[in-house]
């Protein structure tokens, strides 16, 4: 996500260099139309860069779901005449490795509590705040079939409350999963990444795949023939994960 006066141009350059799909938050419909036309002429609109119009009067200014962005670049500007607050930036920046670059005179204190914060000098010696976001306070991992090596069945997570809702949807989807009633290995979660045993149905091959727990971005997929573990109710799991 890029927020700033030069958002479309900066997003285009970032998309070319990183392969990321970039969103641009633009409050002016005329500027949004002009940017879309330029990006379309460059063959980038919709495939590399998307320009989103921020509705007037929208609270906090950013019409995006929580944790959707792996990268946020903010040039210290306002959206619809309202400052883009640290709270709003952190709402859309994914935990566990999400990166923020903000061109500001001084980083807000809330950012320093969210991860590793530095202020590197960019081109022209302009100072920017760079944040590599850490885990959410109170969030816990699920590293074994029954939560941990002690088979407690509880991760001691302190954040899950109330009625759960969908955070993201899409890939990898059910097409790569074992049939539900076969009671396959539980998905494991470590440092914001999901590790799950699945199936390539067209090859009838067991796979192990990893994707982001917060926005579904795929990381990798590996074939592991014969490694599936089914009927877990009468057997144990065969996966565990560790940071080391």
């Amino acid at each position: 996500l890029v927020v700033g006066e030069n958002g479309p141009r900066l997003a285009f350059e970032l998309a070319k260099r990183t392969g990321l799909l970039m969103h641009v938050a633009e409050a002016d419909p005329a500027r949004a139309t002009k940017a879309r036309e330029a990006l379309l002429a460059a063959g980038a609109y919709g495939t590399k860069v998307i320009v989103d119009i921020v509705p007037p009067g929208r609270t906090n200014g950013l019409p995006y779901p929580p944790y959707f962005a792996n990268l946020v670049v903010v040039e210290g500007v306002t959206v619809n005449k309202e400052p883009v607050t640290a709270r709003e930036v952190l709402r859309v920046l994914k935990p566990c490795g999400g990166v923020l670059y903000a061109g500001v005179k001084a980083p807000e204190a809330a950012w320093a509590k969210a991860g590793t914060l530095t202020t590197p000098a960019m081109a022209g010696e302009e100072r920017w705040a760079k944040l590599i976001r850490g885990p959410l306070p109170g969030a816990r991992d699920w590293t074994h079939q029954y939560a941990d090596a002690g088979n407690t069945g509880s991760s001691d997570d302190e954040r899950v409350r109330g009625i759960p809702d969908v955070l993201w949807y899409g890939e990898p989807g059910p097409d790569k999963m074992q049939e539900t009633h076969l009671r396959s290995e539980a998905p494991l979660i470590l440092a914001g990444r999901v590790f799950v045993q699945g199936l390539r149905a067209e090859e009838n091959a067991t796979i192990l795949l990893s994707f982001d727990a917060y926005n579904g971005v795929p990381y990798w997929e590996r074939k592991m023939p014969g490694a599936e573990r089914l009927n877990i109710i009468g057997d144990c799991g065969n996966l565990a994960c560790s940071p080391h």
Side-chain angles (χ1 to χ4, degrees), residues 147-165:
D148 53 30
N151 294 326
T152 63
S154 174
S155 69
D156 293 328
D157 188 279
E158 300 173 5
R159 299 189 63 89
V160 178
R161 297 287 186 274
I163 301 174
D165 200 355

Side-chain angles (χ1 to χ4, degrees), residues 69-72 93-100 131-134:
N70 289 64
L71 170 69
V72 178
L93 179 66
K94 88 169 207 74
C96 299
V99 176
L100 163 73
L131 168 70
I132 300 178
R133 191 170 191 182

Side-chain angles (χ1 to χ4, degrees), residues 111-213:
W111 296 347
K113 298 178 182 179
T116 304
L117 182 67
T118 57
T119 52
M122 300 298 192
E125 298 301 315
E126 183 178 1
R127 304 298 293 185
W128 284 63
K130 178 186 178 182
L131 168 70
I132 300 178
R133 191 170 191 182
L136 294 174
R140 299 292 184 266
D141 297 320
W142 192 279
T143 59
H144 293 69
Q145 172 66 28
Y146 297 106
D148 53 30
N151 294 326
T152 63
S154 174
S155 69
D156 293 328
D157 188 279
E158 300 173 5
R159 299 189 63 89
V160 178
R161 297 287 186 274
I163 301 174
D165 200 355
V166 175
L167 186 60
W168 56 268
Y169 62 92
E171 293 292 338
D175 290 347
K176 292 184 178 180
M177 300 297 112
Q178 291 279 1
E179 200 274 321
T180 303
H181 294 90
L182 296 179
R183 298 180 181 273
S184 59
E185 174 85 29
L188 307 184
I189 299 178
L190 179 66
R193 295 192 176 203
V194 180
F195 303 88
V196 62
Q197 220 170 64
L199 178 70
R200 286 184 189 170
E202 68 278 7
E203 303 176 42
N204 194 30
T206 303
I207 57 175
L208 183 66
L209 58 158
S210 178
F211 51 90
D212 196 278

